[in-house]
Amino acid sequence: MKHILDAPFLVELARTAAHMYAHGWDERNSGNISVLLDGAEAEQYVDPDAVLRDIPTGFEAPALDGKYFLVTGAGKYFKNVGDDPALNLGLVRLAEGGRTARLLWGLTDGGSPTSEFPAHMMSHGARLAQDPDSRVVMHCHPSNLLAMTYVHDLDSRAFTRTLWRMCTEGILVFPDGVNVLPWMLCGTNEIGAATAERMADARLVVWAQHGIYGAGRSLDETFGLIETAEKAAEIYLKIAHLPRLNTITDGQLRQLEQRYGVRARPGWLD
């Protein structure tokens, strides 16, 4: 059995958590990450029969039954993940139709996966139905995107079009756009289901007055999605109060589509 602290998936998650904290996206114990692991790879580091304890999930996810996830723990600080991964992370395998998370490693203080675990698992299910290579769900609180939800129309199309116009890379990085949810109580199955519904046609879902959910094939891709949207929101907030003399037009966005082989979400360009 290989030593799990050397596992590439664990090393990369710890590195990503540190970057997210350094960006100011995950103050105190906010934010959470889950990574769907390849079963054969996971079993190089943990014995699937050596269950430390069973943790009720409070939801059902039959499509994810038997799958392994590395996930941040409830109440844990991202700044501490690299210093003590076993305390701050857990490696679980879903069982009983997703109703139980079998802890195979980590959460050494008796803790549990993030309180947003239902939202993560529902989002994993939604993204896997669209992209079988999807592996990561990431939640954080980027300041500019959060602030933007206080002053901008929360219509998903309008919100996305504003972000696309703020920097040339926007439509190239998230051509599927950004879906926006109005404020909802976090940590519930209701917000998890609503997020998963909007994950069906976009990899980014903004929670108004709260933060953002991102999904992707890797930690780097998912981090980059959020990073690009956050940069666009920062530019918007810097210029929103000023007269607009120039902009990126829909015609120019179409040029970017054609040049780089991306396709904007149908109906979201005039």
Side-chain angles (χ1 to χ4, degrees):
M1 189 77 65
K2 295 181 180 179
H3 197 292
I4 193 168
L5 294 183
D6 297 326
F9 54 77
L10 190 149
V11 172
E12 186 179 7
L13 192 152
R15 178 179 61 85
T16 301
H19 285 317
M20 293 171 73
Y21 183 80
H23 272 58
W25 296 355
D26 295 278
E27 70 285 351
R28 200 173 181 269
N29 64 313
S30 71
N32 22 80
I33 305 172
S34 61
V35 181
L36 171 61
L37 304 177
D38 175 77
E41 183 181 15
E43 290 175 9
Q44 295 179 36
Y45 299 94
V46 293
D47 180 351
D49 297 320
V51 179
L52 301 176
R53 52 193 166 90
D54 283 350
I55 304 170
T57 64
F59 65 94
E60 294 185 4
L64 301 179
D65 192 72
K67 294 191 181 297
Y68 294 88
F69 292 90
L70 183 65
V71 60
T72 52
K76 306 305 183 187
Y77 289 43
F78 271 26
K79 70 183 182 68
N80 296 333
V81 171
D83 294 329
D84 193 347
L87 177 69
N88 294 286
L89 303 175
L91 197 159
V92 302
R93 188 182 192 192
L94 292 189
E96 299 177 336
R99 294 187 298 275
T100 298
R102 292 192 167 144
L103 182 66
L104 302 174
W105 174 86
L107 300 175
T108 54
D109 62 348
S112 59
T114 169
S115 62
E116 303 292 356
F117 195 61
H120 275 251
M121 295 301 103
M122 294 177 193
S123 291
H124 275 291
R127 287 311 308 163
L128 284 167
Q130 303 300 318
D131 177 7
D133 293 324
S134 184
R135 291 290 178 270
V136 175
V137 171
M138 183 181 293
H139 170 56
C140 56
H141 303 163
S143 299
N144 294 290
L145 279 165
L146 197 162
M148 188 172 164
T149 66
Y150 285 89
V151 298
H152 194 284
D153 185 339
L154 296 182
D155 173 77
S156 296
R157 181 179 184 272
F159 201 92
T160 294
R161 286 171 57 80
T162 293
L163 293 177
W164 281 346
R165 291 173 183 273
M166 291 302 105
C167 57
T168 297
E169 291 78 9
I171 198 169
L172 304 180
V173 175
F174 50 95
D176 46 342
V178 176
N179 283 336
V180 184
L181 274 177
W183 189 92
M184 297 179 68
L185 183 63
C186 57
T188 65
N189 287 2
E190 288 74 19
I191 196 170
T195 303
E197 180 182 356
R198 284 158 179 79
M199 278 281 182
D201 52 16
R203 294 164 297 156
L204 291 171
V205 178
V206 168
W207 288 3
Q209 294 85 51
H210 184 141
I212 192 169
Y213 258 68
R217 295 181 173 185
S218 68
L219 284 160
D220 273 351
E221 178 188 337
T222 312
F223 183 94
L225 279 169
I226 296 173
E227 186 176 36
T228 306
E230 169 67 354
K231 179 64 171 289
E234 179 183 4
I235 296 168
Y236 169 75
L237 291 174
K238 286 182 175 181
I239 66 172
H241 64 293
L242 299 171
R244 188 76 61 86
L245 301 181
N246 304 291
T247 192
I248 300 174
T249 67
D250 278 23
Q252 291 166 334
L253 293 171
R254 295 269 185 217
Q255 290 180 48
L256 288 165
E257 279 188 304
Q258 294 166 9
R259 174 64 178 84
Y260 291 98
V262 302
R263 177 168 172 74
R265 189 157 163 178
W268 283 28
L269 288 179
D270 289 336

